[in-house]
Amino acid sequence: MGCLKSLIHKIIFLAILVAFFAFGGYAFVQNAIKSYQNPTRSEFVKSEKNYGNFSNVSGDYQLSRNFNLFGYKKISAKYLPTGQKITIYDLKNEKTLSTKDFQTREIDKKIDNILNSAKDSIITLEDFKIVQRGSYLAKNKIVPFVRFNAKVKNIPFKNVSGVIACYSTTNEKAKEPSTKLIVTMTDLKAYNPTIVQGFVSAIRF
């Protein structure tokens, strides 16, 4: 009797599922995902305060949000004139990375694992070389960064340059601050430091 009930429940569930997609359910899900990923600028500014205040960010940056392959919530800014993307990941705590790691140069040991955890594709980087250290000033917050060059392991003769930076904020309803990891990279020859600098310096806290 129990097996029969289980079978009936499965049949009902499948029937509901088929009906859902048959009557526009797939389009509904697609639209819901698209709406979440690409909100209006005003909605983005209002809902993503955990990362900072983005109301002063130039319209040259297209803002969006999503999750990466490892479950980290992230927001992105695509610089429309060149297509370069800047991503900020919420690492949920300060254990994985903190601003202190840039002062002690612990970032040098962590950069490989951090980039592989933050990546959103099958592209793997190797032969990291830190070529610059510094900080951005975002309102009253100092955001340390390192610029790196690296090779793309699965694309022959492909070299990239990018930046890893971070800052901490306390998320709404959270008791402890969490690190916000900033990552951007592009073709080595196309790297432009003003793109990420202009974005980060416009964030308010």
Side-chain angles (χ1 to χ4, degrees):
M1 190 69 178
C3 291
L4 180 60
K5 283 185 177 181
S6 178
L7 179 61
I8 292 173
H9 288 160
K10 289 179 180 178
I11 292 173
I12 292 173
F13 174 76
L14 288 174
I16 293 173
L17 192 63
V18 169
F20 175 77
F21 285 104
F23 290 96
Y26 180 71
F28 172 81
V29 171
Q30 276 191 319
N31 290 334
I33 293 174
K34 186 177 180 180
S35 177
Y36 172 78
Q37 293 176 336
N38 302 287
T40 63
R41 174 62 70 102
S42 59
E43 181 185 343
F44 183 96
V45 170
K46 184 178 179 180
S47 63
E48 301 305 326
K49 291 180 180 178
N50 284 340
Y51 294 86
N53 184 334
F54 295 89
S55 58
N56 288 337
V57 172
S58 166
D60 287 338
Y61 297 89
Q62 183 182 53
L63 304 177
S64 61
R65 58 192 178 189
N66 209 332
F67 290 87
N68 88 320
L69 296 174
F70 293 85
Y72 292 121
K73 190 175 185 297
K74 66 176 186 177
I75 60 173
S76 298
K78 182 179 180 181
Y79 186 63
L80 297 176
T82 64
Q84 183 175 334
K85 187 168 74 170
I86 303 163
T87 304
I88 307 180
Y89 300 86
D90 185 350
L91 298 186
K92 303 176 184 178
N93 55 57
E94 293 184 307
K95 297 177 182 178
T96 305
L97 182 71
S98 73
T99 56
K100 292 180 181 178
D101 291 325
F102 289 78
Q103 299 170 5
T104 62
R105 299 203 173 187
E106 189 70 17
I107 182 65
D108 298 29
K109 302 175 184 177
K110 294 183 175 184
I111 190 169
D112 193 352
N113 289 333
I114 288 171
L115 284 176
N116 284 328
S117 296
K119 71 180 184 178
D120 298 295
S121 68
I122 60 172
I123 291 177
T124 301
L125 303 180
E126 61 180 1
D127 295 339
F128 294 99
K129 182 180 180 181
I130 293 177
V131 296
Q132 183 185 4
R133 302 175 192 271
S135 59
Y136 305 117
L137 182 60
K139 187 69 174 180
N140 57 345
K141 190 180 288 288
I142 295 176
V143 180
F145 75 85
V146 292
R147 179 187 166 192
F148 64 90
N149 294 339
K151 294 179 180 179
V152 179
K153 187 175 182 179
N154 33 4
I155 304 179
F157 311 110
K158 177 70 172 178
N159 297 317
V160 297
S161 187
V163 161
I164 289 180
C166 83
Y167 60 93
S168 292
T169 61
T170 302
N171 294 343
E172 186 180 6
K173 298 181 180 179
K175 295 181 179 179
E176 301 292 334
S178 68
T179 297
K180 306 304 188 287
L181 168 69
I182 302 173
V183 177
T184 184
M185 70 182 76
T186 187
D187 185 83
L188 180 62
K189 296 179 180 179
Y191 178 79
N192 183 345
T194 63
I195 293 176
V196 63
Q197 182 177 355
F199 173 72
V200 175
S201 62
I203 304 174
R204 297 292 180 262
F205 300 96

